[in-house]
Amino acid sequence: MHALIVLAHPEAKSFNAQLKDVAAATLESQGWTVEVSDLYAQGFDPAEGPRHFPAPKRPDWFGAQTEQRHAAETGATAREVQGEIDKLARADFVLFQYPIWWFSMPAMLKGWIDRVFTFGGVYTGKNRYEHGRFLGKRAMVSVTAGAPGQTYDYNGRSAELSLLLWPMHKSLVYVGYDVLPPHLSP
């Protein structure tokens, strides 16, 4: 079995980075192979835009979905994006490790999703949900938070964890993943 850990934290010595290391070591001790996408260390560019499409379908107007689909159809997906898609394709299990910042994921991770979950490459109108590209694969979210765990319970002052993670979980289900229950490290 093969796992991918996607880490979205700018500090190499952070608690999130340590959790990534523990997850990798635990999986490897159980016979898994593990690959890591450390988005900040890689210098991943999270801002989708025309500069990523040197041969655009519509040079007069930028539409992300139009250009992503055109790039997928013509084999012109940006190398860094195709590399991440290839990692997802190899992985039986994907773990997303990140802090909750302002009741959401870091902008780096949101941009990674915007650029890597490409229209035409990862999903289409017919290739999503129960027909998604990653059907039969599992994904899990592990987050850290700067507040006590009980504040993420139902009606907690930090907001219910399931509500905070809903956009991420929905994105994963959309491309076919079976989403496992999240892990919260307060």
Side-chain angles (χ1 to χ4, degrees), residues 119-142:
F119 184 60
V122 169
Y123 76 96
T124 65
K126 294 179 183 177
N127 187 21
R128 56 194 172 123
Y129 295 116
E130 67 275 4
H131 303 289
R133 177 170 179 172
F134 302 119
L135 196 64
K137 296 177 180 251
R138 295 174 294 161
M140 181 179 168
V141 173
S142 173

Side-chain angles (χ1 to χ4, degrees), residues 24-42:
T26 300
L27 288 164
E28 288 170 344
S29 75
Q30 295 175 9
W32 288 66
T33 56
V34 178
E35 197 167 8
V36 174
S37 282
D38 183 336
L39 303 184
Y40 285 92
Q42 290 171 205

Side-chain angles (χ1 to χ4, degrees), residues 1-2 19 26 28 37-38 40 42 45-46 51 59 68 76 97 103 111 118 127 141 156 167 170:
M1 300 293 282
H2 184 68
L19 288 171
T26 300
E28 288 170 344
S37 282
D38 183 336
Y40 285 92
Q42 290 171 205
D45 179 0
R51 69 190 170 286
Q68 288 176 351
Q97 181 65 60
F103 306 99
T118 59
N127 187 21
V141 173
K170 189 67 172 179

Side-chain angles (χ1 to χ4, degrees), residues 44 48 52-53 62-73 76-86 88 110-125 127-128 132-134 171 174-175:
F44 186 84
E48 185 66 287
H52 300 297
F53 304 93
F62 178 73
Q65 286 185 322
T66 299
E67 298 308 334
Q68 288 176 351
R69 184 172 197 153
H70 179 65
E73 290 171 347
T77 300
R79 186 178 315 131
E80 69 177 345
V81 170
Q82 189 59 55
E84 295 301 304
I85 294 170
D86 293 345
L88 290 169
K110 176 60 170 82
W112 183 89
I113 292 169
D114 289 345
R115 292 199 59 215
V116 173
F117 285 13
T118 59
F119 184 60
V122 169
Y123 76 96
T124 65
N127 187 21
R128 56 194 172 123
R133 177 170 179 172
F134 302 119
S171 297
Y174 190 81
V175 297

